[in-house]
Amino acid sequence: MSDIKALPFKFDIEKIKEALNFIINKYGDCFAMGGNPWGMKDNNLQSLNIMGVKGYSGRPESGRNGIFTKSFNKSKNTYIDEILNTLSSMYTIGRIVIYKIGPNSILPKHIDSHPKILLPIITNTNCTTFLYNDDETIKAELNLLADGSTNLFNATSVLHSVSNFDKVNAGYRMTFDVIDYKPGAIKIN
């Protein structure tokens, strides 16, 4: 599929989960502080900015997620920082976000302002990414496994949503906003 491309990077999923737990323990369950960027009252859909570059805005066209007034990195000295260093060999990353998608939740259809590198952390068979055609019919259903694999996703031109229809367990996904490609970087055609 030309909208999503597997990258040659595969990371240790257990170390990623340890880093996520470290961040939650250090900063508290800051998903509640990260809020719900989609303006919905559903607390099952929450985001947590892990890293941001000064001046970067995740959604400049909508005014949401604001422009970062300073750079920050909550993943310093964790395995997530190692992942960032590896991905930075090919890409300039503007932001890292972890999304918590609670049971019986759907992240609404949207288009992002930047391509994304997707790295599922905790999933189940009911966590699905939907890609849509221009007429909003489903083009593809992807069940991305939490096995440490990474995928480059053309989130800027493909309408998409994410669901978790599991009755009990939340899903967690980390995204890296790609703001530039370095020489030799893998790109989506």
Side-chain angles (χ1 to χ4, degrees):
M1 173 172 290
S2 62
D3 299 319
I4 192 162
K5 183 179 278 190
L7 294 176
F9 308 110
K10 189 163 184 177
F11 301 100
D12 185 324
I13 195 64
E14 294 307 317
K15 287 184 178 179
I16 296 169
K17 291 176 186 177
E18 286 174 22
L20 174 61
N21 287 330
F22 172 82
I23 290 167
I24 289 172
N25 288 332
K26 182 172 181 177
Y27 295 100
D29 188 1
C30 37
F31 284 97
M33 293 169 35
N36 184 325
W38 303 280
M40 298 169 53
K41 293 182 179 180
D42 182 354
N43 286 331
N44 282 331
L45 298 170
Q46 298 172 333
S47 65
L48 173 62
N49 286 311
I50 298 295
M51 183 281 289
V53 174
K54 182 179 179 177
Y56 176 77
S57 173
R59 291 191 179 279
E61 74 288 348
S62 70
R64 291 187 290 179
N65 290 346
I67 294 176
F68 295 128
T69 58
K70 63 181 181 176
S71 295
F72 63 94
N73 186 349
K74 294 177 181 174
S75 68
K76 278 190 179 176
N77 302 316
T78 72
Y79 188 62
I80 294 171
D81 212 33
E82 290 182 38
I83 295 170
L84 174 62
N85 289 335
T86 300
L87 295 177
S88 293
S89 68
M90 286 192 181
Y91 306 98
T92 302
I93 305 296
R95 175 176 73 155
I96 303 172
V97 182
I98 294 179
Y99 294 97
K100 177 182 179 181
I101 306 161
N104 295 313
S105 296
I106 300 173
L107 174 66
K109 297 175 189 173
H110 64 284
I111 292 180
D112 293 300
S113 59
H114 293 86
K116 307 274 186 193
I117 295 173
L118 306 177
L119 201 167
I121 302 172
I122 299 171
T123 61
N124 57 64
T125 56
N126 295 311
C127 283
T128 306
T129 300
F130 293 96
L131 308 181
Y132 298 93
N133 293 306
D134 291 339
D135 65 0
E136 297 194 20
T137 57
I138 294 175
K139 177 195 249 182
E141 294 181 31
L142 307 170
N143 190 291
L144 301 175
L145 301 176
D147 64 358
S149 297
T150 54
N151 291 279
L152 179 62
F153 175 49
N154 188 9
T156 62
S157 64
V158 178
L159 188 65
H160 57 281
S161 67
V162 180
S163 69
N164 177 15
F165 295 122
D166 193 89
K167 304 282 186 231
V168 178
N169 300 305
Y172 291 84
R173 152 184 312 214
M174 188 166 24
T175 65
F176 300 80
D177 290 11
V178 175
I179 57 175
D180 199 7
Y181 296 93
K182 295 182 178 176
I186 296 168
K187 299 179 183 179
I188 292 192
N189 301 334

